[in-house]
Amino acid sequence: MDEMNQEVSGMKEFSAGDIVTGKVVKIEDKQVLVDVGYKVEGIVPISELSSLHVEKASDAVSEGDELTLQVKKVEDDEIVLSKRAVDADKAWQDLEEKFENGEIFEAEVKDVVKGGLVVDIGLRGFIPASLVETYYVEDFEDYKGKTLSLKVVELDREQNRVILSHRAVVEAEEASRKQEVLQSLEEGQVVEGTVQRLTDFGAFVNLGGIDGLVHISQLSHEHVEKASDVVQEGETIQVKVLSVDRDNERISLSLKATKPGPWHDIENKVKQGEVLQGTVRRLVSFGAFVEVLPGVEGLVHISQISNRHIGTPGEVLEEGQEVNVKVLDVDENAKRLSLSMKELEREQSRSEIKQYEKEEDNSGFSLSDMIGDKLDKYKN
């Protein structure tokens, strides 16, 4: 008889757990009334509207919305429904698929709580503070209302635990860019980068996804005490790729290779026959290397050090000594500079002799008459 009454009246029969659809007919502060075809309007308590905290029912639904709901309780004069249960069940299935596939998806940050962020993905998803960014964030307030790309990192349906990560997405993107840059770099390329950090042994330069090292010896053609003497963090510079080790993800760079070297255009800076002042930098068995310009050293061969015979350059010179040298030859291609000290000694002696030759003694004899052909060796 009851079944016949239901058929005549057109009323549906419901049981707890059933999934039904209905239209929102009224919104009150703490509940929503929905027409689901039952003899009374269904009630969706505010706590069953969303997995997140809702202040007002109107924040979650609007009048006229079509909702899919789960029946929680049925009595003759009341039927209680849940939107949250349906959303959560669907969300769990969706999240499990995303977790298995490592899928990236987007969600809006609904709340900032102690220890991280909360998002609504049909249920409550939590992003711990440590999984928001790859860097430390002081204040998360600006994240509220922001849409983030996320990955599921932990799921526990029994504990209703959903842990998400934005950091994992960022790291995956960075890893992808890193490989792209690594594969595109070739030895000899000149590329632009940003100085990331300075160390005792050089500077790390970001090339748009991966860092390369400019060793301190490759910062300048001149001797460098510390990297900060040449570059600063945040500075954009041009660098040359010296080598790429893709297996170990190591890139060697040079800043000095992009700049004119000390030997560049040396033949216009230093002329044959010119007299220069320099500093003795190294003594070797066959001569002395004298720095005449920053980064430019020339060789004074042992035979060009003195007019007298010497066994070793150290008999006459010492490292750090300031000396005058005459340029015998300049070769920019070979980066070779031949110098002489002996030539200056000879020229000095010739000059002194000429001065004496002009002076005759009171008897009318010149210095030449007095010492004869002993002058010949200086005139030749």
Side-chain angles (χ1 to χ4, degrees):
M1 188 68 177
D2 289 341
E3 290 178 3
M4 289 179 62
N5 288 338
Q6 286 176 354
E7 290 176 3
V8 171
S9 64
M11 290 295 107
K12 298 176 184 176
E13 183 178 357
F14 296 104
S15 301
D18 287 351
I19 303 299
V20 300
T21 58
K23 179 183 287 188
V24 176
V25 294
K26 187 176 182 182
I27 298 176
E28 299 176 353
D29 282 347
K30 299 301 179 183
Q31 65 182 21
V32 173
L33 301 182
V34 182
D35 180 8
V36 291
Y38 193 58
K39 58 186 175 181
V40 293
E41 290 168 344
I43 299 170
V44 184
I46 193 169
S47 61
E48 294 296 332
L49 281 173
S50 172
S51 58
L52 303 181
H53 175 70
V54 178
E55 288 289 341
K56 296 182 298 181
S58 57
D59 292 339
V61 295
S62 301
E63 200 168 307
D65 283 355
E66 289 282 348
L67 304 180
T68 301
L69 307 160
Q70 185 184 76
V71 178
K72 303 295 286 184
K73 183 174 70 170
V74 184
E75 294 178 356
D76 284 344
D77 57 351
E78 184 182 68
I79 178 169
V80 179
L81 308 164
S82 174
K83 177 177 180 294
R84 183 181 69 169
V86 174
D87 292 345
D89 188 59
K90 182 181 178 183
W92 276 112
Q93 294 178 35
D94 185 47
L95 285 173
E96 285 166 359
E97 287 182 15
K98 286 180 167 60
F99 187 37
E100 289 175 8
N101 300 327
E103 187 179 333
I104 296 170
F105 59 97
E106 292 188 341
E108 182 182 334
V109 176
K110 293 296 185 181
D111 203 4
V112 177
V113 297
K114 186 178 180 180
L117 307 174
V118 173
V119 297
D120 182 9
I121 44 177
L123 45 82
R124 186 181 188 274
F126 183 60
I127 311 171
S130 61
L131 298 183
V132 177
E133 300 289 359
T134 55
Y135 51 86
Y136 175 73
V137 178
E138 183 76 33
D139 185 3
F140 287 100
E141 283 304 318
D142 289 343
Y143 282 80
K144 192 168 184 178
K146 186 177 181 181
T147 298
L148 298 178
S149 49
L150 303 164
K151 286 183 77 170
V152 181
V153 293
E154 187 180 338
L155 277 181
D156 188 334
R157 191 161 185 172
E158 290 183 3
Q159 298 293 324
N160 199 34
R161 181 180 173 87
V162 180
I163 305 299
L164 308 172
S165 175
H166 175 60
R167 176 177 177 167
V169 176
V170 174
E171 288 177 339
E173 290 172 349
E174 288 178 349
S176 177
R177 284 196 300 270
K178 186 176 184 179
Q179 285 304 313
E180 285 178 15
V181 174
L182 196 59
Q183 295 303 318
S184 69
L185 289 176
E186 296 293 342
E187 185 177 326
Q189 273 183 312
V190 175
V191 294
E192 187 174 89
T194 304
V195 179
Q196 286 290 95
R197 58 191 175 95
L198 305 179
T199 68
D200 292 339
F201 52 85
F204 284 95
V205 178
N206 186 275
L207 303 177
I210 188 171
D211 288 353
L213 174 65
V214 181
H215 190 268
I216 197 165
S217 63
Q218 292 294 327
L219 283 171
S220 174
H221 293 288
E222 300 176 24
H223 176 70
V224 177
E225 287 290 340
K226 53 184 186 293
S228 59
D229 290 340
V230 182
V231 293
Q232 301 298 319
E233 288 185 5
E235 182 180 353
T236 299
I237 58 175
Q238 296 282 327
V239 288
K240 185 175 183 178
V241 180
L242 298 182
S243 66
V244 181
D245 182 346
R246 292 185 174 86
D247 293 334
N248 295 302
E249 298 185 348
R250 290 179 182 170
I251 303 166
S252 295
L253 306 169
S254 175
L255 177 61
K256 76 177 184 182
T258 66
K259 300 182 181 300
W263 287 89
H264 177 70
D265 203 30
I266 192 68
E267 290 175 353
N268 287 320
K269 298 176 185 175
V270 176
K271 302 291 186 181
Q272 187 175 357
E274 187 176 1
V275 176
L276 304 171
Q277 186 179 58
T279 305
V280 178
R281 293 300 181 195
R282 291 177 293 143
L283 297 178
V284 292
S285 60
F286 52 85
F289 285 95
V290 177
E291 186 178 50
V292 294
L293 291 172
V296 177
E297 292 183 4
L299 174 66
V300 182
H301 191 268
I302 192 169
S303 64
Q304 293 293 328
I305 291 177
S306 177
N307 279 305
R308 65 182 176 84
H309 176 73
I310 58 173
T312 64
E315 294 177 26
V316 178
L317 301 171
E318 59 183 31
E319 290 183 1
Q321 182 179 344
E322 297 291 328
V323 294
N324 289 325
V325 291
K326 184 176 181 179
V327 179
L328 299 181
D329 186 50
V330 185
D331 188 337
E332 182 175 336
N333 292 329
K335 295 184 179 178
R336 186 179 298 131
L337 196 60
S338 297
L339 307 171
S340 175
M341 293 171 61
K342 183 170 75 172
E343 283 289 317
L344 293 181
E345 279 188 13
R346 284 180 174 177
E347 289 176 4
Q348 179 65 26
S349 296
R350 289 186 188 124
S351 176
E352 290 172 355
I353 289 170
K354 286 180 180 179
Q355 182 64 32
Y356 283 121
E357 284 179 336
K358 291 179 181 178
E359 300 175 0
E360 295 181 352
D361 63 4
N362 294 333
S363 63
F365 289 97
S366 68
L367 184 62
S368 176
D369 293 333
M370 295 173 66
I371 62 176
D373 59 5
K374 291 182 180 180
L375 299 174
D376 289 346
K377 67 177 182 177
Y378 294 111
K379 292 179 180 179
N380 296 329

